[in-house]
Amino acid sequence: MTERKPPGVDFETWVDRQIREATERGEFADLPGIGKPLAHLDRPYDELWWVKDKMSREHLSYLPPSLALRKEAEDALEKAADAPSEAALRRILTAVNERIRAALRTPLEGPPLNLVPFDIDEIARKWREQHAS
């Protein structure tokens, strides 16, 4: 659709002509999903449907930085619990503690962080107790 609607021509007629000419040129012949019902037609309207669809197709995700750090801290705690050595546990928790402290100094976007640095010595003590038995 490269031309403007001519004055005096009904808008619907002009659009119908554009569609008919494009169909005759075969521009609609190989569209994905041809002959299939529109996806998500039964869902309520969402302004960001196209963003969510693209993120789903490309396996992308986005969390606000504060929530991403919460998730990272949770994952680090799980990884530390399965650490092969106490030194590895301390490395994992030290790294995440540094990021938590940085976020506490300069607040991140998103909901409140609600995190404090982990007590590495306490977690290491529990780790030793679990791995001693």
Side-chain angles (χ1 to χ4, degrees):
M1 190 171 359
T2 57
E3 61 187 73
R4 293 174 102 27
K5 181 180 89 58
V9 176
D10 183 39
F11 186 76
E12 186 173 350
T13 306
W14 180 72
V15 170
D16 289 338
R17 192 187 87 222
Q18 297 289 318
I19 292 171
R20 181 181 48 75
E21 289 173 358
T23 302
E24 289 170 0
R25 289 190 302 268
E27 294 182 19
F28 299 129
D30 295 325
L31 292 177
I34 192 165
K36 298 178 186 173
L38 294 174
H40 314 301
L41 213 52
D42 56 343
R43 294 186 185 169
Y45 179 71
D46 181 4
E47 290 180 352
L48 297 176
W49 66 269
W50 63 276
V51 174
K52 293 174 182 175
D53 187 51
K54 182 168 179 67
M55 290 179 74
S56 174
R57 276 193 324 269
E58 297 187 8
H59 306 291
L60 301 172
S61 64
Y62 174 78
L63 285 175
S66 61
L67 293 181
L69 184 53
R70 280 193 217 172
K71 177 69 174 135
E72 184 181 345
E74 181 181 310
D75 292 345
L77 200 53
E78 289 176 15
K79 190 175 176 184
D82 296 333
S85 67
E86 185 177 336
L89 173 138
R90 289 180 179 277
R91 270 195 309 275
I92 293 166
L93 294 180
T94 299
V96 79
N97 274 354
E98 288 173 7
R99 286 189 281 285
I100 291 171
R101 285 187 185 99
L104 292 173
R105 283 191 299 273
T106 55
L108 300 173
E109 286 183 36
L113 186 59
N114 294 338
L115 275 180
V116 293
F118 293 113
D119 183 349
I120 297 175
D121 293 329
E122 180 61 24
I123 295 171
R125 184 188 61 74
K126 289 178 183 176
W127 183 91
R128 282 191 302 272
E129 287 174 2
Q130 286 180 338
H131 288 80
S133 53

